[in-house]
Amino acid sequence: MFTDPLPGPTTGFWIANDDIGVLRAIEGSTADFVGIDCQHGIGDHILRRMLEIRSSVPRYVRVADSSAQKIGYALDLGADGIIVPMVNSVEQAKMVTRAAHYPPRGDRSYGPVSPWLSRDVAELDSRVTILVMIETECGLRNAEAILNVDGIDGCYVGPADLGISLGHGANQFPPSEPMRTALSRIADAAQRTRKVAGLHAGDAALAGTFRELGFTMLTLANGERLVSSGIEQQLKASGAEAHSATTNSPY
Ligand SMILES: C[C@H](O)CC(=O)C(=O)O
């Protein structure tokens, strides 16, 4: 849960497959957070192993959908927060907060799993951060009202999905002019509602551009791309021929 004053600029990475080693490397770095992708990336089965060891780097799980089952499962395993895809309305945002909190705030079912998790309901309830993904034309229209929902800590924008929904295409790295306008609207809505504005920057070199638009919480790359660029860098440093298959992927 983010409290006022909101955190300053933060930078994180995604884990999109079963790279527990890369996850531990990110957790041992100065990254501010890690996103674990259970929507397009890894399946739920590996999540338990990923979260069974405590980390001082917050781990936000992107759940597959906004169902109470997916949200409860990630939190029971010890996610510090959830990133919920495709949140388009106030009603959906309210359902998400209810699924993430125990009564009286919500209707989450009790079942902490990871050994290091507290068994105290109030303590468990207070550690949950909720980020909703604004990534459709409808979500953009309702962004301010969604962010205003009590219990929503902020938004996280998926530029590819938002670009597709607005008819500008998936490749928004760097963002086109109409995309910049849309992104500014979301960042401004977050500022007005005193919530965090997050976004996938897709490239470390674009971090400054997105920070200027008002996004404070950025992800730069996923584990596969981190490993890939590390391999390329090592080969180059040794004087060997260096190229990599995935370095140019936006995730
Ligand atoms: C890292 C994410 O997959 C970004 C995303 O969801 C997007 O639509 O862009």
Side-chain angles (χ1 to χ4, degrees), residues 201-215:
D203 181 350
L206 291 175
T209 303
F210 290 119
R211 295 235 186 263
E212 272 166 30
L213 288 173
F215 290 89

Side-chain angles (χ1 to χ4, degrees), residues 14 37 40 62 133 135 156 158-162 173 200 251:
W14 280 105
D37 187 7
H40 295 299
R62 176 158 72 173
M133 290 192 72
E135 51 183 350
Y156 176 83
D161 276 319
L162 183 61
F173 307 101
H200 183 63
Y251 298 107

Side-chain angles (χ1 to χ4, degrees), residues 226-247:
L226 288 176
V227 171
S228 202
S229 55
I231 292 170
E232 194 170 321
Q233 205 182 6
Q234 291 287 314
L235 286 170
K236 255 190 209 147
S238 77
E241 190 189 333
H243 83 274
S244 143
T246 51
T247 309

